[in-house]
Amino acid sequence: MATHKKSILNKFYLVAALLALFLLAIIFRVVNIQYVQGEKYKKLATELTIKQDTIFANKGNVYAADGNLLATSMSKYTIRMDVVAVDSKVFEKNIAGLSKALSQMLGKSKNYYQNKLRNAKKRKNRYLLIARNVGYNDYLKMKKFPIFNLGVYRGGFIAEHKTVREHPIGKIAERTIGYDDFRGEAGIEGAFADFMQGENGLRWKQKIAKNQWKPISDVNEKEPIDGHDVITTIDVNIQDITHHALLRQLETFEADHGCAVVMETSTGEIKAISNLGRTTKGKYYEKRNYAVWESHEPGSTFKLASLMAALDDKVIDTSTVVDTEKGKIFIHNRKVEDSRRGGYGKISAARVFEVSSNVGIVKLIKKHYDHQPEKFINKIAKYGFTKPVGFKIKGEGKPIVPKPSDKSWNKISLEWMSWGYGISVTPMQTLMFYNAVANNGVMIKPRFVKELRRQNNTEKVFETEVINPRIASEETLSKIREVMENVVIKGTADNIYSSNFSMAGKTGTAKKYIPRTKNKKGEWEGGYYSNKKYVASFAGFFPADKPKYSCIVVIHNPDKKKGYYGATVAAPVFKEIAQKIYTTTPVDNQSVDDKTEFTKIDNQYKKYQNIINKEYSKIPNVKGMNGMDAVSLLENIGLKVKFSGVGKVEHQSIEKGEKLIKGSTIILKLS
């Protein structure tokens, strides 16, 4: 009996001891959590329910030379509602007004929104979607709607901001304007990405039901600062002319792709650049920056370099006679043939260029440089063909110009180079060379950007950069310009001649080389020049006597049945561009013949300048004004301007008559 009682007592002590140990463990755990690891768990709890959200800054804008927007970041908002946050009495009193306002803005019926809001209230929805992709002006209006005007806590108004990159002039020059996003860095935006990025802001968000997050307050912890602006050399009017002239010709000849570039002769500023490629459905869009990227055999446009080299070295003159024989010769068993059957007989070197005789130019270069090809190559290097131009824009094509020391050099390399084969250059290199001829021998680097700005203050100006101060003698340049003008007057491009304005240039027609490759069966194919695929081109400048602009047009793979010669396919694009620039942007007295019209324009300009120069102390009314005029006016009186849409001003965020505070931002809605 005693033994039994002792056993029970021992068990009791054991249980008590275990309970005491368990209690001590709990006390230790509580103390450890509360005092030792308390801050850690508090922080963890906060991180699980509250987070700091990044508000991404708007990138800087890209502007045309005349102030037109080429690329900008537009604010877009997703509007949601925390229905639970709204007091029931407030909800019932104002639901009809809110539903009516939403119906008027978003289009669906008043009853639709009433039912949607009531159902959300019943389900205690704290993150009800109201609308996506709401513009800034509509966002400001929605903040004033019934219930929403009470804010985040009492009105349940949730606005999530994002920025979307827009091109106000559409797809025109899209590849040159470029982008800096998930696709990588391209064009001007890619080249100046670091400069255009702003400083991101911060905002606190709180976790609510269904793993969703809403802003804690209307006020950001740190406001984002927008990026800085790039002012390009693009002229929107000339860009529009160039784009549509190229597009029409590509569509007419069902070509694969093409490019057209207009460059201001004295400054090197690119006023227009269009690069259009064809889709499988036959439509054209800015597919690649062919003018900068695509290195190809230029064909006859390269004959200008060959003729200039020989003239400048004084081994020939424009009057030097060459026998083109019957339009066909063989050099080391390789055929050189003129487009004209039977050839041109004995003609001058000037006429060789004007009619684009392949036989004539090959014979001239072979005779005078076959024993000293290095001398010819040195001239080509002087003309800027042996190395890239050196754009900040990524993806510039690399030229291929063989030298006698290269393994690829052979017995016909020199002769083939003289008429634009066996070498590879980009359209921009060819344009730079032609522009140097127009610019009295001064070769300048083409440029796309005029200046960089921070908050309307110019930080850097890109000046004209001279690559070569003299590519040839004045005598040579004078002769070259004369024969280039004769190409249009009585040569291969006489189809674009106009008595109203003068042009000078050179046609180019090159067969495309089909590389040697293996097919799926492992058989070798290609390794020859196609009789079906061609590159048609034209390069030149205008006016011929006092060049203001140089221009190049290159079109790949036009439908051979419709035409493939440079004169037929590319030259008409050049003429249309030149003619319309003469008409809309007079470059000399050849096109100014209506004094009355220009007096009227001048008076309108003076009137507008008087409006701009007026001293303002209050915000002016710009409603109904042309969008670009309104932007100019407001910026000139010290305001920062953002706008959406096109056309005339429909709404301004700061009403007329309010006190003018310089540096403030005003939002315009155009329609």
Side-chain angles (χ1 to χ4, degrees):
M1 186 72 175
T3 305
H4 180 66
K5 286 182 178 180
K6 188 176 180 180
S7 176
I8 291 173
L9 190 61
N10 289 337
K11 288 181 178 178
F12 173 78
Y13 288 143
L14 179 61
V15 171
L18 289 172
L19 288 172
L21 287 171
F22 182 67
L23 181 61
L24 286 171
I26 291 174
I27 293 170
F28 175 79
R29 186 66 175 164
V30 170
V31 171
N32 184 57
I33 290 173
Q34 185 169 352
Y35 296 102
V36 180
Q37 299 188 59
E39 291 303 318
K40 171 185 174 183
Y41 286 107
K42 285 179 184 177
K43 184 179 179 183
L44 181 61
T46 301
E47 288 176 350
L48 291 172
T49 57
I50 297 175
K51 70 176 182 179
Q52 207 174 47
D53 192 42
T54 301
I55 305 173
F56 293 99
N58 289 333
K59 288 197 296 186
N61 296 327
V62 179
Y63 290 95
D66 58 1
N68 278 295
L69 265 176
L70 300 180
T72 188
S73 292
M74 304 293 291
S75 291
K76 297 291 182 182
Y77 295 84
T78 297
I79 307 299
R80 296 181 182 271
M81 184 179 183
D82 179 358
V83 186
V84 176
V86 185
D87 180 79
S88 296
K89 291 183 180 179
V90 173
F91 183 82
E92 289 300 330
K93 183 180 179 180
N94 295 283
I95 185 173
L98 176 58
S99 299
K100 181 180 179 180
L102 290 173
S103 174
Q104 290 174 344
M105 176 174 286
L106 303 177
K108 293 184 178 179
S109 69
K110 178 180 175 181
N111 288 337
Y112 168 84
Y113 288 106
Q114 282 213 39
N115 292 333
K116 182 174 184 176
L117 294 171
R118 289 192 183 280
N119 289 334
K121 188 74 171 174
K122 289 178 182 178
R123 296 194 306 269
K124 297 183 178 181
N125 192 332
R126 307 201 67 180
Y127 205 57
L128 175 66
L129 176 65
I130 302 297
R132 297 184 190 274
N133 293 320
V134 174
Y136 183 75
N137 288 332
D138 287 340
Y139 155 72
L140 293 177
K141 290 179 182 178
M142 292 181 80
K143 285 184 72 175
K144 297 178 181 179
F145 285 179
I147 301 180
F148 286 171
N149 59 8
L150 299 176
V152 174
Y153 291 112
R154 295 173 56 215
F157 183 70
I158 302 171
E160 297 173 338
H161 174 256
K162 67 176 181 179
T163 57
V164 179
R165 204 66 176 161
E166 298 282 358
H167 288 186
I169 64 171
K171 297 294 184 180
I172 294 176
E174 185 177 36
R175 288 296 301 189
T176 301
I177 297 169
Y179 49 78
D180 172 33
D181 54 26
F182 64 92
R183 296 169 291 179
E185 296 179 344
I188 292 169
E189 289 218 33
F192 294 92
D194 292 342
F195 183 84
M196 297 179 69
Q197 292 296 337
E199 295 181 24
N200 293 333
L202 297 173
R203 186 179 201 178
W204 284 106
K205 284 190 173 183
Q206 185 177 29
K207 190 175 183 181
I208 57 177
K210 298 181 181 179
N211 200 33
Q212 296 170 333
W213 298 81
K214 74 168 188 177
I216 290 177
S217 70
D218 290 328
V219 181
N220 298 324
E221 183 175 336
K222 179 185 175 184
E223 291 294 335
I225 300 174
D226 289 349
H228 310 303
D229 301 328
V230 176
I231 315 302
T232 72
T233 61
I234 299 295
D235 181 297
V236 172
N237 179 52
I238 297 177
Q239 179 66 48
D240 185 66
I241 290 169
T242 303
H243 172 87
H244 287 99
L246 177 65
L247 176 60
R248 273 189 290 273
Q249 201 74 339
L250 290 172
E251 290 174 337
T252 299
F253 287 89
E254 298 180 34
D256 180 73
H257 66 275
C259 67
V261 187
V262 179
M263 179 174 173
E264 191 171 66
T265 304
S266 61
T267 65
E269 292 184 0
I270 300 300
K271 292 300 177 183
I273 178 169
S274 183
N275 298 279
L276 297 173
R278 193 181 189 192
T279 67
T280 54
K281 295 181 180 180
K283 300 294 183 181
Y284 293 90
Y285 71 108
E286 288 267 337
K287 195 172 182 179
R288 298 205 68 159
N289 197 337
Y290 299 110
V292 172
W293 165 75
E294 189 168 32
S295 185
H296 65 96
E297 291 180 303
S300 293
T301 54
F302 196 77
K303 289 174 182 172
L304 180 65
S306 299
L307 181 65
M308 182 182 287
L311 286 173
D312 212 39
D313 283 339
K314 298 188 180 301
V315 295
I316 67 166
D317 194 5
T318 51
S319 59
T320 299
V321 175
V322 57
D323 187 0
T324 64
E325 302 180 28
K326 294 183 179 180
K328 185 188 299 184
I329 60 173
F330 288 87
I331 300 176
H332 298 291
N333 297 319
R334 296 290 297 274
K335 182 172 67 174
V336 179
E337 189 174 17
D338 285 336
S339 59
R340 177 176 173 176
R341 289 188 178 183
Y344 299 93
K346 293 181 179 181
I347 55 176
S348 67
R351 193 61 183 159
V352 164
F353 186 82
E354 292 163 7
V355 299
S356 198
S357 169
N358 300 327
V359 172
I361 199 72
V362 167
K363 290 185 74 172
L364 286 170
I365 299 303
K366 177 178 173 57
K367 178 180 179 180
H368 298 289
Y369 292 99
D370 209 26
H371 63 293
Q372 50 178 358
E374 295 89 351
K375 189 174 182 180
F376 183 80
I377 298 300
N378 289 339
K379 284 288 187 182
I380 301 306
K382 187 177 182 180
Y383 302 155
F385 286 111
T386 56
K387 59 183 180 180
V389 176
F391 296 111
K392 283 182 69 69
I393 292 175
K394 292 184 177 180
E396 183 181 359
K398 294 182 179 179
I400 300 173
V401 178
K403 297 179 292 185
S405 58
D406 294 341
K407 291 182 179 179
S408 60
W409 186 268
N410 57 53
K411 294 179 179 179
I412 61 169
S413 291
L414 175 69
E415 287 76 11
W416 252 242
M417 188 186 304
S418 68
W419 58 308
Y421 285 96
I423 62 170
S424 185
V425 297
T426 66
M428 290 301 294
Q429 285 181 291
T430 302
L431 178 62
M432 183 173 72
F433 171 59
Y434 273 70
N435 190 79
V437 175
N439 197 33
N440 296 317
V442 181
M443 179 173 284
I444 53 181
K445 183 177 180 179
R447 58 191 173 102
F448 294 96
V449 176
K450 289 173 72 76
E451 60 184 66
L452 305 179
R453 289 181 185 170
R454 291 179 184 266
Q455 299 178 352
N456 290 326
N457 294 319
T458 300
E459 285 212 344
K460 183 175 181 179
V461 176
F462 292 87
E463 303 288 353
T464 298
E465 184 178 339
V466 176
I467 294 176
N468 188 336
R470 175 65 64 183
I471 64 168
S473 68
E474 289 188 17
E475 181 185 1
T476 296
L477 290 166
S478 177
K479 292 175 180 178
I480 284 290
R481 284 195 289 266
E482 182 179 353
V483 296
M484 288 179 71
E485 188 172 4
N486 283 335
V487 168
V488 176
I489 296 172
K490 57 180 181 178
T492 54
D494 62 355
N495 58 306
I496 67 168
Y497 171 74
S498 172
S499 59
N500 296 322
F501 58 93
S502 60
M503 299 170 284
K506 180 71 185 75
T507 56
T509 308
K511 291 183 177 181
K512 295 201 78 168
Y513 182 75
I514 309 301
R516 182 173 169 79
T517 57
K518 282 187 177 182
N519 60 23
K520 293 180 180 180
K521 297 179 181 180
E523 300 169 336
W524 286 101
E525 293 180 337
Y528 60 88
Y529 283 94
S530 173
N531 286 319
K532 297 180 180 179
K533 295 184 177 183
Y534 290 82
V535 180
S537 59
F538 187 91
F541 46 82
F542 56 93
D545 55 342
K546 294 180 180 179
K548 172 68 174 177
Y549 298 107
S550 56
C551 176
I552 187 168
V553 180
V554 182
I555 295 178
H556 287 252
N557 299 347
D559 185 340
K560 188 180 177 183
K561 295 177 182 178
K562 294 185 175 183
Y564 60 92
Y565 285 111
T568 307
V569 180
V573 179
F574 178 95
K575 180 184 180 180
E576 182 177 345
I577 292 170
Q579 187 173 30
K580 288 186 175 179
I581 289 176
Y582 270 117
T583 303
T584 61
T585 312
V587 293
D588 74 342
N589 58 12
Q590 293 185 55
S591 55
V592 180
D593 54 8
D594 192 343
K595 294 181 180 179
T596 304
E597 181 65 22
F598 279 91
T599 300
K600 179 181 177 182
I601 292 172
D602 189 54
N603 290 336
Q604 288 177 346
Y605 175 77
K606 289 178 180 178
K607 182 180 178 181
Y608 177 66
Q609 284 298 108
N610 289 334
I611 294 174
I612 286 181
N613 293 330
K614 181 182 176 182
E615 287 294 327
Y616 285 92
S617 60
K618 295 182 179 180
I619 300 294
N621 180 21
V622 295
K623 291 180 182 178
M625 286 183 65
N626 179 278
M628 291 303 102
D629 290 344
V631 170
S632 297
L633 170 59
L634 295 171
E635 286 185 343
N636 273 280
I637 64 175
L639 293 173
K640 296 178 182 177
V641 184
K642 291 185 178 181
F643 67 89
S644 62
V646 293
K648 294 185 177 181
V649 179
E650 183 181 74
H651 173 79
Q652 59 187 84
S653 63
I654 306 177
E655 293 298 329
K656 68 173 182 177
E658 291 190 25
K659 184 179 179 181
L660 171 63
I661 302 174
K662 293 190 177 184
S664 300
T665 299
I666 186 170
I667 312 297
L668 305 181
K669 184 176 182 180
L670 312 183
S671 63

